[in-house]
Amino acid sequence: MKKLIINENKKLNQISEDIYGHFAEHLGRCIYEGIFVGKDSDIPNVNGMRTDVVEALQELEIPVLRWPGGCFAEDYHWKEGVGPLEQRKPVINSLWGGVLESNHFGTHEFFELCEQLDCKSYVNLNMGSASVREMQEWVEYMTGEVDSELVLQRKANGREEPFELDYVGIGNEMWGCGGHMNPEHYASEFRRYNNFARTYNWNAPFRRIASGPNRGDYDWTERVMKGLMTNHDGRDEIDDYYHMTGSNVTGLALHYYCFPKMEHPRGYATDFDGGEYYRTLESAAHIEELVIKHSEIMRKYDPEGEVKLMVDEWGAWYQTEDGTSPFFLYQQNAMRCAQVAAMTLNIFNKHSDKIDMANIAQTVNVLQAMILTEGDKMITTPTYHVFNMMKPHKNASLIESRLEGVEKIGVEGAQVADLFESTSRTRKGVITTTLNNTSMTNAHELVVEFAELKPENVTATILVGAPDAHNTFENPENVVPADFTDFEITDQGIKLTVPACAVITLQVK
Ligand code: AHR
């Protein structure tokens, strides 16, 4: 029998809602077809955004959306994506399959999408192949209030008020597709670009994110943090006032994908054996070590902890589905993905004192997607359902909780804890626990104990299925959440059995 001990009186930090954020890149069928079909499409849409997808994402209450990449951001020239559609010049998306990029989804369309989703905007600015001036002008175009030439151009293009820009990324993967820079070079270029990417709307300054490490590249974190945080001449206080300082940075991006195999071919999303299953989950669980170690290095240069970790790309990366372009990164999504999502979000909740934002890759039709589309059809994935079930943690207070009796399970060389959890409390006092049982085969008996609380009003939701269970266009509701009533309220607390490969959200009101 395992035990979950919750101290409902010990409130820790607030869980930033942005940890439940998303990422949409001009890659494969994510933006075009997946989200944007254009106003003239037969697929029902509002201003070009497909209604079915927007409504499904509205249900998730997504807090923040990152765009336009990823690596695509480093090839993106914003001026090509504004103005009348017929005047926007097509370019080649040389990163993702050499296909034609129509530029029909640009700045105005992105903010339209954020408005339809009622979410924050995170624009990853191009640093790799754009000049300082190009970056500066994009920021001015988006946020400027007075009638400069660029602001007048924005108005002529249909947007009177400044767009609400919440986050900017100053480059993406600058150790790789952003220009293969070394850390010192990037840190000093960051200062220069960041300095000119000024806030043109002083009432609404945006937050700035530096390109951080890939996986366990601690050397990158060390050298970039040193370069960004070392004060050169004591002028930073004045610069901060004008939001102009080179070192004004609020986040460091971490990218981490988990795989069934490091080498190619990586293995399919729905066709795998026990070894691949546990290797994927072990690889997903490794993110906890990365969060701890990267944060420790960051604290050396930022003792107050003002620069947070932003895990702005994460998720499971499998072999692309047969018959699809290898550059489009289209993969199915099974209960194994639900385990990856629940485990990762549980880990992020537990470390939400260090993490301010995370963005799963990617929203539609790419990598570990929420939604898959085929023509005018759309399905939601097990990952989508996990995000929906875990919504109550957003902006809630993490509370102290710990598991007893957890064991490592798996195969030789790939061992993972057999149960994960995180627990939070909303302002109204609702306690939410999310549990995920990683075992392919075994249920776990569990007692949930509280410090003082005698639970009375308990509700629960379960997502369960074989590890390879998934939704298809023929059977879209094969894996969907259901009410879970198989628990008992006892003198000790709540007694339940967590089935194999299940995710359960328990709510105590
Ligand atoms: O998400 C797909 C790609 O993975 C992104 O473009 C890039 O940033 C990362 O390497």
Side-chain angles (χ1 to χ4, degrees), residues 23 25 27 70-71 96 172-173 255 257 313 317 362 367:
F23 168 40
E25 180 167 9
L27 193 179
C71 291
W96 301 117
N172 169 73
E173 297 195 348
H255 287 186
Y257 290 97
E313 283 185 35
W317 192 317
Q362 299 194 7
L367 298 174

Side-chain angles (χ1 to χ4, degrees), residues 2 405-409 416-419 438:
K2 297 182 194 301
V406 170
E407 286 169 32
K408 288 270 180 145
I409 54 168
V416 66
D418 60 359
L419 188 63
T438 59

Side-chain angles (χ1 to χ4, degrees), residues 93 128 178 313 428 444:
N93 186 337
E313 283 185 35
K428 290 187 175 156
H444 303 317

Side-chain angles (χ1 to χ4, degrees), residues 367-410:
L367 298 174
Q368 192 175 346
M370 305 294 115
I371 289 172
L372 303 177
T373 66
E374 204 177 80
D376 62 356
K377 292 194 234 110
M378 178 211 91
I379 55 173
T380 51
T381 63
T383 300
Y384 173 94
H385 295 305
V386 169
F387 269 75
N388 213 12
M389 287 164 64
M390 294 185 74
K391 270 189 319 201
H393 292 297
K394 288 193 254 176
N395 284 337
S397 298
L398 183 69
I399 56 177
E400 196 177 81
S401 62
R402 72 189 157 85
L403 282 165
E404 278 183 2
V406 170
E407 286 169 32
K408 288 270 180 145
I409 54 168

Side-chain angles (χ1 to χ4, degrees), residues 22-23 66 69-70 122 124 169 171-173 209-212 252-257 309-314 357-361:
H22 295 261
F23 168 40
R66 175 175 183 245
Y122 173 6
N124 210 115
N172 169 73
E173 297 195 348
I209 298 169
S211 170
L252 187 73
L254 165 66
H255 287 186
Y256 182 70
Y257 290 97
L309 212 49
M310 312 285 193
V311 191
D312 66 11
E313 283 185 35
W314 68 272
M357 175 163 62
N359 310 74
I360 187 168

